Amino acid sequence: MGVIINCKHLRLFLFLLWAILALSCKDNTVAVQEPEPSSEYTPLRSVAPFPVGVALQSNRLSSGPHSQVVRTVFSSVTAEYEMKMRHLTDPSGNYVWGPTDALVAFAKEYDMQVHGHTLVWHQSTPSWLENFSGTDAEFEDAVEDYITNVVGRYKDDVVSWDVINEAFEDGSGALRNSVFRRRMGPDYIARLFQYARNADPDVLLFYNDYGTIWDAAKRDAMFSMIDDLQTRGIPIDGIGLQMHITYNTPSLNNIVAVMDAIVQRGLLIHISEMDVRVNPQGDLSELTTGRSELQKQRVKDIVMAFMDLPEANQFAITWWGLRDPESWLIDFWGNPEWGLLFDAEYRPKPAYDGFLEALTEN
Ligand code: XIL
């Protein structure tokens, strides 16, 4: 009997110990939680006449401050990577919907539109397609099925898709020799657009790329493709200009010239994937006031140029991330960077004021 009572006590003691540990861990989580965002600034979505977007990762939605700033400030979201092929399917080709479903549900709850990025991208080809063992015709059927399933699933929630991302080589403008190009032939882009249109007659279809402002060969290749698609009646609605730029390049004139050429073709313009590097030479170890002001002016100039476009051609401006320390730029370039609108503490930077000033002074 004595032993039984001791065991009971021991169990009670262990339970209490577990409860105390569990509670104190929870408290710790609260203690190290990210800073609360300030609400003392004007949200972009409340003044912008066009959607202002941000790239998002579904795991960041569990951070209260992160999701609060996103839903307060922005009116559109794009998955930073979770809607890419290698993430929407596992290596065997089974669909992985969870993260994208969560992003889409979040957007719906807070009345934000979703821009889909990206149906096809040579850098996110899953192994089941890269090593596809069937015939070329079966490969194409698999790609068509994928597009039909993905576009179909989000038909009511995704307003626009990047059908293909970065199809042309730097410098030469040649079609990249991706598995899609190899298996489906040189006219594969037209068929991707057609498959996307078949899956959703209303969704807006974009071609998205970087370097089309400063790389003449790539730019010519893109416009030849657009002209060809339009001549043949292949559905294309807009062009995404990946705005990964620096505080001083490329020139505003060159950006405007490319936007004008898109307007001449009657297409929508998406200033997509925006970030403005302030440390391209790696000379800064912290963000200086001077560089921050130059970044602000750059953002202001670009937003003003976008607002000068005919309204019918303004699709959206999308930032490639929320806070500086979360940006892909840091890993990609290997320098400290502060390319986004918010600092680590969720404080809007001067660049944010630049965006606002362009919206309100125009
Ligand atoms: C990047 C994301 O930011 C990273 O999180 C991911 O690991 C790799 O892709 N051009 C594009 C984007 O079209 O999809 C890329 O995003 C950045 C460059």
Side-chain angles (χ1 to χ4, degrees):
M1 185 66 173
V3 172
I4 291 170
I5 289 168
N6 282 345
C7 272
K8 264 189 185 166
H9 285 161
L10 185 64
R11 257 188 267 143
L12 184 64
F13 172 74
L14 286 175
F15 172 75
L16 285 172
L17 191 67
W18 170 81
I20 288 165
L21 279 176
L23 274 177
S24 64
C25 284
K26 216 175 162 213
D27 282 342
N28 275 345
T29 318
V30 172
V32 295
Q33 224 186 20
E34 293 150 322
E36 279 300 312
S38 145
S39 54
E40 289 156 11
Y41 54 86
T42 308
L44 298 175
R45 71 180 287 173
S46 69
V47 279
F50 52 84
V52 184
V54 64
L56 199 56
Q57 303 185 7
S58 67
N59 63 335
R60 295 194 176 136
L61 292 177
S62 56
S63 146
H66 198 285
S67 93
Q68 191 196 322
V69 177
V70 166
R71 65 185 190 243
T72 311
V73 169
F74 297 92
S75 48
S76 167
V77 288
T78 301
E80 186 169 352
Y81 64 86
E82 285 153 314
M83 288 169 101
K84 292 169 184 167
M85 232 179 196
R86 204 185 281 159
H87 298 273
L88 269 183
T89 56
D90 70 14
S92 325
N94 304 308
Y95 287 96
V96 180
W97 301 117
T100 297
D101 283 356
L103 282 173
V104 167
F106 172 80
K108 246 177 154 168
E109 186 175 354
Y110 295 105
D111 195 22
M112 307 168 90
Q113 75 180 43
V114 182
H115 172 72
H117 173 78
T118 167
L119 292 172
V120 169
W121 185 30
H122 65 286
Q123 286 205 37
S124 187
T125 312
S127 47
W128 65 272
L129 266 186
E130 197 70 64
N131 308 318
F132 194 81
S133 58
T135 64
D136 289 350
E138 286 162 350
F139 177 94
E140 182 154 348
D141 285 347
V143 172
E144 182 180 1
D145 266 7
Y146 175 86
I147 292 177
T148 307
N149 288 332
V150 173
V151 174
R153 182 180 182 89
Y154 297 112
K155 207 174 174 170
D156 298 330
D157 305 313
V158 169
V159 169
S160 46
W161 272 102
D162 290 331
V163 175
I164 174 156
N165 195 34
E166 306 177 354
F168 303 105
E169 298 277 4
D170 296 344
S172 70
L175 269 186
R176 285 185 199 277
N177 193 23
S178 68
V179 69
F180 303 95
R181 154 79 182 76
R182 292 195 301 276
R183 294 293 213 128
M184 293 170 62
D187 197 30
Y188 79 102
I189 295 179
R191 298 210 295 289
L192 296 178
F193 273 91
Q194 196 61 64
Y195 296 147
R197 171 57 71 238
N198 296 346
D200 184 348
D202 301 319
V203 76
L204 297 169
L205 303 177
F206 281 78
Y207 176 74
N208 191 57
D209 210 336
Y210 67 90
T212 47
I213 291 155
W214 57 84
D215 182 332
K218 194 188 267 198
R219 179 172 57 248
D220 291 349
M222 179 181 79
F223 281 118
S224 306
M225 174 198 70
I226 296 171
D227 293 344
D228 174 56
L229 294 181
Q230 290 191 316
T231 310
R232 292 158 62 201
I234 306 288
I236 177 168
D237 299 293
I239 300 299
L241 297 175
Q242 291 185 19
M243 205 52 66
H244 299 298
I245 57 173
T246 81
Y247 69 96
N248 57 1
T249 57
S251 76
L252 188 64
N253 283 346
N254 289 351
I255 297 174
V256 169
V258 175
M259 294 203 294
D260 285 346
I262 298 171
V263 168
Q264 278 162 28
R265 288 161 172 87
L267 294 174
L268 293 166
I269 295 178
H270 184 193
I271 294 199
S272 65
E273 305 189 24
M274 186 153 179
D275 41 41
V276 180
R277 288 160 69 205
V278 288
N279 197 20
Q281 288 88 26
D283 55 330
L284 301 186
S285 55
E286 58 185 45
L287 178 56
T288 58
T289 311
R291 223 40 90 71
S292 192
E293 286 303 314
L294 290 169
Q295 184 183 49
K296 170 184 174 178
Q297 191 56 48
R298 193 90 170 120
V299 170
K300 186 170 176 178
D301 288 347
I302 288 177
V303 177
M304 289 181 87
F306 183 78
M307 293 183 76
D308 283 345
L309 297 171
E311 251 176 63
N313 300 90
Q314 297 173 14
F315 175 65
I317 299 183
T318 297
W319 282 84
W320 208 239
L322 181 68
R323 290 190 297 167
D324 285 340
E326 292 165 348
S327 168
W328 76 298
L329 291 172
I330 297 165
D331 281 347
F332 189 80
W333 293 103
N335 287 333
E337 257 311 338
W338 303 269
L340 297 172
L341 292 180
F342 287 84
D343 70 12
E345 310 292 312
Y346 295 101
R347 283 183 304 241
K349 294 160 58 192
Y352 188 92
D353 301 328
F355 203 127
L356 264 184
E357 284 170 20
L359 291 174
T360 49
E361 287 171 14
N362 225 340

